[in-house]
Amino acid sequence: VKQNIAAFGGDPGNVTLGGQSAGSIDTEANVASPSAAHLFQRAIFESVVLDGTPLAAAEKTGADFAKAAGCGRGATPAVAACLRRLPARRIVQLEGTRSTQSPYIIPLIADGQIVPTGGLFAAFRNGTFTHMPIMSGTVHDEYNFLAAIAEYFSGPPRHPITAAQYRTFVTTTFPPATAKRVFAEYPLTQYRTPQLAWNAAGTDSLVCPQLALNRALAGQVPVYGYEFDDTTAPFYFP
């Protein structure tokens, strides 16, 4: 964009980078990355902030992927050659299903070169990021999207989120002590359906870190907080 936007009537010195969900993580990573400094001048974060997976853990996941793909283990030329020969169909099989992500997908790696070793939160707290005006917000009822994925791919016939699925979500998403507190704060008895409990607990788990990020940034750069709350927006599923 910086190299080409002038040819389309744009200003290469006034570029905004933005994204939602995974796109928000990508935008935050670019703001924190030294290698992206001065490529853009404003940023929009919407709904998700992620620290990043440490390099050693990411490399272990890569080794696990190689083994699952039948290429063996270890950072050897033979393993690398085998991975490069994998057909696209096999790689897609290891990505998981349409409704369930595989354990081999890592949204962000804190590799110490592109993304700071300590992760994004530390970079933003310490001020070691490219300072610029930032819009940073949340999405109302965001976890209903994940509930919709689970429901859409459960059929036909389609099955709404069950109480058992809600309990599994909480126990697999949070550490045991935190899960106990989540059940106390978001008991099924307070909600008309398990889906509404799932949505409340899940959405708040995204909102709280975003608000913490906003507070960390606000003393350093102009921050504009917002909530996306359009109940008539187009939806992915029928």
Side-chain angles (χ1 to χ4, degrees), residues 29-30 32-36 109 111-116:
N30 275 280
S33 176
S35 59
I109 300 172
D111 66 326
Q113 297 184 51
I114 297 174
V115 177

Side-chain angles (χ1 to χ4, degrees), residues 82-101:
C82 175
L83 289 169
R84 293 190 183 102
R85 289 194 302 267
L86 287 177
R89 181 184 299 274
R90 180 61 180 141
I91 295 172
V92 170
Q93 287 173 343
L94 292 167
E95 286 182 344
T97 67
R98 291 180 296 177
S99 61
T100 305
Q101 185 171 290

